[in-house]
Amino acid sequence: MKRIAVYCGSSTGSDPAYLAAAETLGKLLAARNIALVYGGGNIGLMGRLASTVLAQGGHVTGVIPEFFLSMDIGEIELSELRVVQSMHQRKALMENLADGFIALPGGLGTLEELAEILTWAQLKLHAKPVGLLNVSGFYDHLLKFLDHAVTQRLIKSKYRALLLESHDPQTLLDLMLAAHPHSTSSPPRIDPERI
Ligand code: AMP
């Protein structure tokens, strides 16, 4: 796995464990030579994650819609910045660039990105691992909801199983590496240029 896209809060949250987890994951990615793909900017958990990877000598690609550039997203010198036209293009390009996806604690933006990337897996638009870093039980309610949706027969258990989960960044990365199909020969199914 060469690149992982991480979705996470543009805020830091109230529990210092969230920032600590962003830092641990950042160090781990750099140590394992896995490049980070993320939403650009230097705010919240996103900023801490990106700055940690960079400080450890890792590679960071930010993918940011043009309209964000005029907003206060924090100054940060990334290895690479890809500017796109829309949120839809951003998510498609992040999907194209990454070999797997991780969600850290976050708000609506993170939830939306996680739900979409899982939906694309369900539709077989990609076969890349998706992991949830459940720091301090932040996602317990979401996981319970997903289980409830399975018992209510609104999510198939094979699709529920697409979401790998752990409270520990290293364990989550190992689960994702084990699930990675090791095949990147097929062309991308989601073309950002056509959105
Ligand atoms: P949220 O979870 O609502 O804080 O949103 C964070 C997610 O949405 C990130 O993974 C980003 O891709 C995107 N996002 C939201 N706000 C920003 C921002 N100000 N700068 C860059 N990306 C953002």
Side-chain angles (χ1 to χ4, degrees):
M1 219 185 277
K2 291 194 180 123
R3 281 185 292 245
I4 289 186
V6 179
Y7 311 126
C8 60
S10 53
S11 309
T12 56
S14 54
D15 187 337
Y18 306 147
L19 273 172
E23 253 182 56
T24 307
L25 181 63
K27 285 180 187 164
L28 214 55
L29 291 177
R32 293 197 179 189
N33 215 12
I34 298 173
L36 170 69
V37 177
Y38 87 120
N42 193 15
I43 47 173
L45 299 177
M46 301 169 62
R48 181 64 64 94
L49 173 69
S51 54
T52 305
V53 174
L54 291 167
Q56 301 289 318
H59 189 281
V60 179
T61 301
V63 182
I64 197 145
E66 205 171 9
F67 69 87
F68 262 102
L69 294 175
S70 59
M71 292 161 61
D72 182 20
I73 54 164
E75 287 289 307
I76 187 167
E77 185 76 22
L78 302 174
S79 320
E80 184 188 16
L81 184 66
R82 304 280 295 260
V83 180
V84 293
Q85 294 309 308
S86 68
M87 294 295 274
H88 287 87
Q89 278 187 350
R90 167 204 252 177
K91 289 180 288 174
L93 183 57
M94 287 173 77
E95 189 284 322
N96 275 202
L97 292 175
D99 305 311
F101 312 90
I102 292 178
L104 258 67
L108 289 173
T110 303
L111 192 61
E112 192 255 340
E113 289 166 322
L114 175 67
E116 185 164 70
I117 206 68
L118 276 173
T119 308
W120 289 353
Q122 179 177 290
L123 296 173
K124 303 196 171 39
L125 294 174
H126 71 81
K128 304 170 186 176
V130 182
L132 187 71
L133 194 60
N134 189 15
V135 184
S136 295
F138 176 75
Y139 281 118
D140 284 354
H141 295 291
L142 177 67
L143 294 169
K144 274 203 188 99
F145 163 75
L146 295 176
D147 292 337
H148 174 64
V150 172
T151 61
Q152 294 300 305
R153 298 199 204 151
L154 287 163
I155 296 179
K156 290 193 168 70
S157 44
K158 66 176 175 180
Y159 296 139
R160 167 70 181 85
L162 287 171
L163 183 59
L164 306 169
E165 60 196 64
S166 175
H167 66 279
D168 174 52
Q170 183 134 6
T171 308
L172 187 64
L173 265 188
D174 288 340
L175 285 172
M176 292 178 67
L177 289 169
H180 188 237
H182 301 290
S183 146
T184 51
S185 54
S186 58
R189 305 273 310 266
I190 301 156
D191 181 358
E193 297 303 323
R194 300 191 61 190
I195 291 173

